[in-house]
Amino acid sequence: MDAIAIIPARLASTRLPGKVLREIAGKPMLAWVYEAARRSPLLRDVIVATDSEEVMEACRRNKWPARMTSAAHRSGTERVHEVAQTIKADVYLNVQGDEPLTRPEHIETLVGLMRNTEVQVGTLKTSAAINDINNPNAVKVTTGLAGRSLYFSRSTIPFDRSGETRYFKHLGMYAYRKPALDRFVTLPESELERSERLEQLRFLENGIAIHVAETRFDTIGVDTEDDLRRVEEILATGSHR
């Protein structure tokens, strides 16, 4: 299976401006993401997709393949779709530029999920840590018996009436086939997507199944200075390896 990874890397983040180029343990956040994806032998290529000349310059300096994409994109999925118009592959992985704890094992699990040719969109989940269960910045996911997602939410789902509920945190990495990408960009922002600010809900509201594979490797998406400090401590000590 021919798979490539695309790393959407916006510089104009609202909560933590310029975060993909912020230094963590001696190198830019984007370097941690790119190098982790590049270590996977399952990817033909890893490409940074940005709308920032500053990010492009960092890519040129480090010899990372990169594409300049439209500043009008509202989501990483739209940015991945633009790159997919000119680069052919069986599967496109969206590895977000603010996930510096990305590991080759995440790539392996996603690619493995997509070996089922019926899967159009895939993503990952992991057991939620106690402090993530009620944290709205940690997205929760529920899935059916066949592994298809039922819902993603910033709320604590499902309700723990039994006292025995196991919660799963969604990891914001995706794999798509091109027909799913092509359809996504034709659809308007959905009501649930707008309410939760979760782009994947556009797929679900329009009847496009998202299959979910479990990984034991958690990540921390960096959105705040506190997230940055937590990740730096992990990467500086090498405790994520």
Side-chain angles (χ1 to χ4, degrees):
M1 187 172 65
D2 182 28
I4 66 170
I6 299 168
I7 304 175
R10 288 178 65 243
L11 203 61
S13 169
T14 53
R15 284 187 285 178
L16 192 61
K19 64 181 178 180
V20 296
L21 295 182
R22 289 285 296 272
E23 188 169 295
I24 302 177
K27 55 187 174 184
M29 185 189 307
L30 185 56
W32 290 101
V33 180
Y34 177 85
E35 290 168 8
R38 189 65 281 180
R39 287 199 303 273
S40 171
L42 302 178
L43 297 174
R44 170 165 56 90
D45 206 355
V46 179
I47 301 165
V48 176
T50 187
D51 58 4
S52 161
E53 184 54 45
E54 191 174 346
V55 172
M56 282 295 290
E57 177 54 34
C59 291
R60 284 191 285 265
R61 192 165 55 247
N62 290 282
K63 296 182 171 54
W64 302 331
R67 294 291 182 96
M68 184 67 81
T69 53
S70 172
H73 294 320
R74 295 173 298 170
S75 69
T77 305
E78 292 178 357
R79 209 169 295 283
V80 170
H81 175 262
E82 181 178 340
V83 176
Q85 301 314 294
T86 56
I87 299 178
K88 290 185 178 180
D90 297 324
V91 170
Y92 301 89
L93 273 65
N94 176 347
V95 182
Q96 298 188 29
D98 59 1
E99 291 276 2
L101 299 185
T102 297
R103 304 170 61 110
E105 291 91 340
H106 293 127
I107 306 297
E108 181 181 4
T109 303
L110 264 180
V111 170
L113 182 63
M114 300 303 288
R115 293 194 189 282
N116 178 349
T117 57
E118 294 184 2
V119 176
Q120 292 295 306
V121 183
T123 193
L124 300 177
K125 69 177 181 181
T126 194
S127 289
I130 292 175
N131 61 341
D132 281 333
I133 292 173
N134 295 303
N135 176 7
N137 292 320
V139 176
K140 272 65 69 177
V141 59
T142 56
T143 56
L145 295 177
R148 289 189 293 270
S149 60
L150 300 174
Y151 194 60
F152 299 84
S153 183
R154 297 184 184 279
S155 295
T156 303
I157 58 170
F159 178 74
D160 187 19
R161 187 169 184 175
S162 69
E164 300 175 351
T165 299
R166 184 183 178 194
Y167 289 95
F168 287 96
K169 173 185 170 183
H170 175 232
L171 304 185
M173 304 174 197
Y174 300 91
Y176 323 91
R177 297 191 194 281
K178 192 167 183 296
L181 284 171
D182 289 341
R183 184 164 179 220
F184 180 88
V185 298
T186 68
L187 299 169
E189 184 181 53
S190 70
E191 184 175 343
L192 291 174
E193 175 188 8
R194 187 162 49 250
S195 176
E196 296 258 22
R197 299 315 308 164
L198 297 174
E199 64 183 279
Q200 65 268 37
L201 292 176
R202 192 186 312 181
F203 285 113
L204 295 190
E205 281 199 85
N206 287 279
I208 302 169
I210 300 177
H211 292 248
V212 186
E214 185 176 353
T215 176
R216 65 187 180 90
F217 300 105
D218 197 0
T219 67
I220 298 172
V222 176
D223 291 313
T224 65
E225 291 286 350
D226 183 56
D227 294 335
L228 198 69
R229 284 191 292 272
R230 289 170 62 204
V231 167
E232 179 150 33
E233 182 177 339
I234 292 169
L235 290 175
T237 61
S239 58
H240 73 302
R241 299 196 181 279

